[in-house]
Each structure stands twice: as C-alpha cells, then as structure tokens.
Amino acid sequence: MKHALFTPLVAAFSLCAASTAHAHHSWGAIYDLCNFTIEGRVESIEWKYPHTWFVVKTDAGTLYHVEWTGLQILDRQGFERSAQDAVTYGARVVVTGMPPKSAATIRANYPSFKDDPDPKVIGARRIRRADASFDWFALPGPLARECAGR
C-alpha cells in the first residue's frame, strides 16, 4: 500500500523539479564569465525570488541593473539580514560581475530567446560596501578560457 502511494508521489515531484530546473537559466549560458567591476550608489532594490535585482548608478551617471542571488540562498549562506541592512537605497557599493553574452550566443543554447540582452545588466559575483562594512561573494566558479589576458 505504501509503495503504491509513494511511487506516484516521487514521479510527480520529479516532474516538478525537472520543469523548474529547465525554466531556470544557467549563468554560463546567459553571462560572459569574464568579470568586470563597477562602483556607485544603489538607486533601487527588489528583494524577490528567485533573484534579487538592484540598480547601481556610477559616478559617471551610468545605470547598471544587477542580478543577485535570492533571499533564500542568502539566508542559507548566513547573509540575509546583513545583506538587507547593507545593500540599501543610497549605499555606495562595489559590484564585480559578469556582463551578458550576445543574443546570438544565448540563442545557441536557448533557441527561443528573442530579446537582445541589455549590456547594462550584470550577474553579480561579488558585492561589497565601499566602506568595507559588508562583503559577499559567490562561490568561485569556472572562468572562461577567453578571459585570459583581458
């Protein structure tokens, strides 16, 4: 009896998990894994699932949209409260991250991708306050071979 109930439950969970994983993108498929750094003030922030988004305005007036991990991951890493206290409107931050790949490169992995990626979007690898009161970094990931010498 338990087996008859357990098997359909596992199958349903597996289908849900697979569709969620498929819907979520791979950082390496969307972003150029070569890092660059910007510094500026936080103009706005949205703490939401699955990613936190915020806007940084550089001293030159350029606006960058930063895609960061979500609150669930920050909580698991022990950063949820300190991140929300540190990355606030007006805070001066330094963001090291990855720019998006070209639309053609993204379409090679995701043929249904239609938009042109915004070059002012950054996938965050490290975020720190300029006053050094907060410092978060993603686990080190693979760097693209083409980053050598950049």
Side-chain angles (χ1 to χ4, degrees):
M1 175 70 175
K2 287 182 183 179
H3 189 319
L5 182 61
F6 183 73
T7 302
L9 195 59
V10 168
F13 176 79
S14 298
L15 286 173
C16 290
S19 66
T20 301
H22 177 70
H24 200 82
H25 63 79
S26 161
W27 284 92
I30 302 296
Y31 290 104
D32 177 343
L33 296 181
C34 301
N35 295 324
F36 74 102
T37 301
I38 61 163
E39 182 173 342
R41 296 211 177 271
V42 175
E43 289 287 304
S44 65
I45 188 158
E46 295 179 52
W47 298 98
K48 59 185 187 175
Y49 179 82
H51 298 279
T52 296
W53 284 88
F54 63 98
V55 176
V56 174
K57 185 176 186 178
T58 66
D59 293 342
T62 305
L63 295 175
Y64 286 91
H65 299 267
V66 179
E67 182 179 12
W68 192 12
T69 192
L71 285 173
Q72 286 181 318
I73 303 297
L74 290 170
D75 182 43
R76 272 189 248 141
Q77 294 174 342
F79 278 97
E80 180 183 8
R81 180 54 37 215
S82 60
Q84 288 181 305
D85 291 343
V87 184
T88 59
Y89 175 80
R92 188 154 187 88
V93 295
V94 179
V95 178
T96 300
M98 306 165 290
K101 290 182 175 181
S102 70
T105 305
I106 296 170
R107 278 190 207 100
N109 292 309
Y110 297 100
S112 62
F113 184 82
K114 301 291 184 226
D115 298 325
D116 286 328
D118 182 349
K120 299 292 189 249
V121 171
I122 300 170
R125 303 267 324 243
R126 182 179 184 187
I127 299 169
R128 65 181 175 85
R129 289 274 302 244
D131 65 7
S133 64
F134 174 81
D135 194 354
W136 172 90
F137 56 91
L139 293 174
L143 290 178
R145 288 183 191 153
E146 62 269 15
C147 294
R150 275 203 213 177

